[in-house]
Each structure stands twice: as C-alpha cells, then as structure tokens.
C-alpha cells in the first residue's frame, strides 16, 4: 500500500479547521489495529480530519508491518500534542496489551483494553477536546470476559456519556436504517416497542439526516409482523397499537414518516431511492438488508449521543486478524462521515 502527501500548499488554517477525531483501536486481537492503520494512511483522511488513535502503539506497529504500510506510529501524551503529517499515526498509548497477544483469539485482556479505549475517547469528547469518535470493532464476548457487561459499543457509549436513550443507524451506499430496538431478544423487542420509543427513534433519525445535509428526509417505518400485520391478519394488532400513533404525531409535526410498511418490500423501494431512511423495529430486520447490500462500505452511527460517533459495520473478524487481508473501506467511510457530521473545533 502506498500513500501520497497532501498538496504542499494546503493552508495551515485549513488543517486547524478540521475536527479532531478520537479513533479507538477496538479489540487488539481482531482486525481493529489493521483497519485503523490502513485507513489513517489514506491521503483523503488527512484532508478531512485530525485523527488521534486511542490504543496501543506496539500493536499498531505490528499491524503496519503486516499490511506492508510505511507508517510512523508516534505516541503522544494528549490530543493537543499530535502533529499531523503524511504517513504519521498519532496514538495515545495506553499500553494495555502484552507484546505476545495472539491474533484471532478471544482475550479478556484485549476486551478490557477495548473498554479503556472507549472510556478515554468518551472523556475527550465530553471535554470538547475531540469533536467526534470513530470506533474499530470490539468483541462482545471478550468485553464481557474483561469485566464489562455491555451488549456493545452503542450501550457502552450511552453509559459513559450519561445518555439515557440512543439509536443505532446503519448507513450504506444504498440505504440507511435506524433501529427502534437492537441487542435484545425478539420477544423482548416486541414487548419493548411502544409509540413513544418509535416516535423518539424517528425524530433522532430525522435530525441526524438533516445534520448530514438532507433538509426534508423521507422516512419509511417498518411494521413488526409479516405484511405489517395486513389489517390484523397477522399478529395481535401490534402495528395499530405500537406504531400508528407515533406516525400520526410525527406527521402532525411535519415529519415525512410513512407506515407501518411491510419489511419484505420496503428495503427494496428504499434501495432504489424512494426513501432516505428506513426505521427497523428490531436488530435483524434492519441489519440483514444492510449487510446484503454492502457491509464493506457500511457505517454504524450512534444517534442521540452528545457527541458524534461512527464505526465500521463489521466485527473483529478473528478468522483473518493478523493476516493483512482485511478491507479498510468501511473504516475510511466511517472517518469520512465522522468528519462530515462533526462540528468545527470551538463551534
């Protein structure tokens, strides 16, 4: 992999106007170190933001060697100490991983380290020292084994920032999906869905799309049952009870939300451009179509936090970790979207 330097005549004030992004390394036994290094040496990233990794310098150097990337991994004490130059990767080095940590094997040590990376990044964001967080994947089992029982990044970030309720949005080249419920069982998800939660989820998605430059988002809201219940034929009236009242309130406020719509067709029409956002009622209803339509370029955005947070839309990929085979496109896109949505420093 080769890189080219940004134009030499790029004004200094143009760089200082770009946001600082805290990039968490994720689970060090997975592909996180590789996707971080591989993405940060891309010239387009240098023009968009000022990334600072929260992770382990030694592991990043190992990843650079595996990828065959000529990258200078430089530990820094703080975001403010970072210097940005072609091929340089700044890292706040927490030094939590042993040098002999195996690639591709579940590790409680790596799980705890991944938690600490997120904790430090959250503190930096809440202090206003970075304008966004971009996360490499963690492993939920390793996170739990390391003593931190959270379903995933979304819930962990909500806890660390003191946020009561957030939503997961998946953004792919063809469709965007926001979830009313995520990491709970299907029976629990149906029980949890209620008009207030549906309404708040749609409003968070509407606001996020407006911030991303879509002034009047067209939003499709999925039903829960097959064919969205088909007028009571399937289910027990969940659509009328749990979804319709929310849509009526949203429409009364001028939000273009339509539904409940059958999930087996709505993703097709959204993919051809009829809708800007699909509201999925539960995890697999939304994740399946997004991953079929392009997981490599997908981005996970946590909506509702007091800070911008984006992530790759793939896991730790233990089966290829440490081999140099991982694609970095999703991380590049996650950084691009973090930079796009983040406020300017001092704003």
């Amino acid at each position: 992999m080769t890189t080219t330097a940004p134009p030499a005549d790029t004004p200094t004030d143009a760089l200082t106007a770009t946001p600082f992004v805290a990039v968490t390394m994720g689970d060090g036994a997975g592909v996180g170190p590789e996707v971080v290094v591989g993405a940060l040496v891309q010239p387009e990233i240098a023009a968009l933001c000022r990334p600072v990794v929260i992770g382990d310098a030694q592991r990043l150097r190992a990843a650079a060697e595996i990828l065959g990337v000529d990258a200078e991994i430089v530990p820094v004490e703080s975001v403010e100490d970072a210097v940005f130059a072609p091929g340089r990767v700044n890292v706040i080095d927490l030094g939590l991983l042993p040098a002999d940590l195996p690639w591709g094997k579940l590790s409680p040590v790596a799980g705890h380290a991944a938690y600490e990376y997120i904790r430090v990044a959250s503190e930096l964001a809440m202090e206003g020292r970075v304008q966004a967080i971009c996360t490499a994947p963690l492993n939920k089992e390793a996170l739990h084994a390391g003593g931190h029982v959270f379903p995933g990044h979304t819930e962990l970030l909500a806890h660390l920032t003191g946020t009561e309720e957030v939503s997961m949005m998946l953004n792919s080249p063809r469709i965007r999906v926001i979830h009313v419920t995520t990491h709970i069982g299907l029976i629990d998800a149906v029980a949890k869905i209620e008009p207030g939660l549906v309404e708040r989820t749609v409003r968070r998605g509407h606001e996020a799309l407006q911030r991303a430059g879509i002034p009047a988002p067209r939003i499709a809201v999925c039903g829960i049952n097959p064919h969205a219940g088909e007028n009571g034929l399937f289910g027990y009236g969940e659509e009328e009870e749990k979804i319709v009242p929310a849509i009526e309130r949203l429409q009364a406020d001028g939000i273009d939300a339509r539904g409940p719509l059958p999930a087996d067709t709505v993703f097709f029409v959204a993919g051809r451009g009829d809708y800007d956002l699909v509201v999925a009622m539960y995890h697999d209803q939304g994740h399946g179509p997004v991953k079929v339509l392009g997981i490599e370029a997908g981005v996970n955005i946590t909506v509702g936090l007091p800070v911008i947070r984006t992530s790759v839309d793939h896991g730790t990929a233990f089966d290829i970790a440490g081999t140099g085979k991982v694609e970095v496109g999703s991380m590049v896109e996650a950084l691009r979207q973090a930079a796009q949505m983040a406020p300017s420093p001092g704003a």
Side-chain angles (χ1 to χ4, degrees):
M1 184 183 298
T2 59
T3 64
T4 57
D9 59 352
T10 300
T12 302
D13 59 353
L15 178 61
T16 58
T18 61
F20 283 105
V21 179
V23 183
T24 60
M25 197 181 76
D27 191 303
V31 296
E34 293 167 85
V35 297
V36 167
V37 171
L40 293 189
V41 297
Q42 301 298 317
E44 66 183 283
I45 298 303
L48 292 172
C49 62
R50 289 176 284 176
V52 178
V53 182
I54 317 298
D56 185 290
Q58 182 175 248
R59 197 65 166 181
L60 293 170
R61 293 190 185 104
E65 184 175 349
I66 289 166
L67 291 171
V69 170
D70 184 15
E72 182 186 12
I73 312 298
V74 183
V76 296
E77 289 296 319
S78 68
V79 171
E80 294 77 13
D81 293 334
V83 175
F84 298 91
R88 174 176 168 132
V89 176
N90 297 283
V91 54
I92 296 177
D93 183 11
L94 301 192
L96 296 173
L97 299 180
D100 59 352
L101 179 73
W103 294 96
K105 296 187 181 299
L106 189 138
S107 163
V109 173
H112 171 67
Y115 169 86
E116 289 295 318
Y117 306 151
I118 293 294
R119 181 187 62 78
V120 171
S122 297
E123 290 177 358
L124 291 171
M126 296 300 285
E127 292 168 1
R129 295 166 65 192
V130 299
Q131 285 70 55
I133 298 171
C134 184
T135 60
L138 54 72
N139 182 280
K140 296 178 182 65
E141 189 176 351
L143 183 70
H144 292 188
H148 308 287
V149 183
F150 294 91
H153 266 124
T154 303
E155 296 82 3
L156 174 54
L157 282 159
H159 169 75
L160 291 171
T161 59
T163 307
E164 185 175 343
E165 188 175 275
V166 296
S167 298
M168 178 189 293
M169 178 185 290
L170 302 181
N171 195 347
S172 74
R174 291 179 61 184
I175 58 173
R176 300 178 190 89
V177 181
I178 192 168
H179 295 71
V180 175
T181 66
T182 49
H183 295 122
I184 57 177
L186 184 55
I187 293 174
D188 294 331
V190 175
K192 184 176 181 179
I193 297 166
E194 50 87 19
L197 179 58
V198 173
E199 181 181 354
R200 294 190 299 274
T201 303
V202 174
R203 289 187 187 276
R204 281 191 284 269
H206 183 266
E207 179 184 352
L209 264 59
Q210 286 187 320
R211 187 172 11 175
I214 302 173
R218 300 162 299 167
I219 302 173
V221 182
C222 289
I224 298 171
N225 293 297
H227 301 183
E230 199 160 308
N231 298 317
L233 183 61
F234 304 116
Y236 299 91
E238 288 88 353
E239 281 74 18
E240 287 295 322
E241 175 191 348
K242 297 171 176 286
I243 301 174
V244 170
I247 292 175
E248 290 174 346
R249 288 197 291 266
L250 292 161
Q251 292 177 346
D253 282 349
I255 293 176
D256 186 3
R258 309 176 197 179
L261 300 171
D264 62 352
T265 55
V266 72
F267 291 99
F268 169 75
V269 295
R272 75 184 183 191
D274 290 22
Y275 295 104
D276 301 300
L277 178 66
V278 177
V279 181
M281 291 295 130
Y282 51 90
H283 184 282
D284 286 12
Q285 188 182 59
H287 274 62
V290 170
K291 293 186 176 183
V292 167
L293 292 173
I295 186 174
E296 295 86 357
V299 174
N300 182 336
I301 305 170
T302 305
V303 181
L305 291 171
V307 297
I308 300 300
R309 179 263 174 166
T310 65
S311 178
V312 295
D313 186 29
H314 61 71
T316 48
F318 280 169
D319 58 325
I320 61 169
T323 67
K325 297 178 181 179
V326 69
E327 293 290 335
V328 303
S330 183
M331 193 67 182
V332 170
E333 183 62 17
L335 283 160
R336 187 188 69 78
Q337 292 195 33
Q340 178 186 24
M341 293 189 292
S344 298

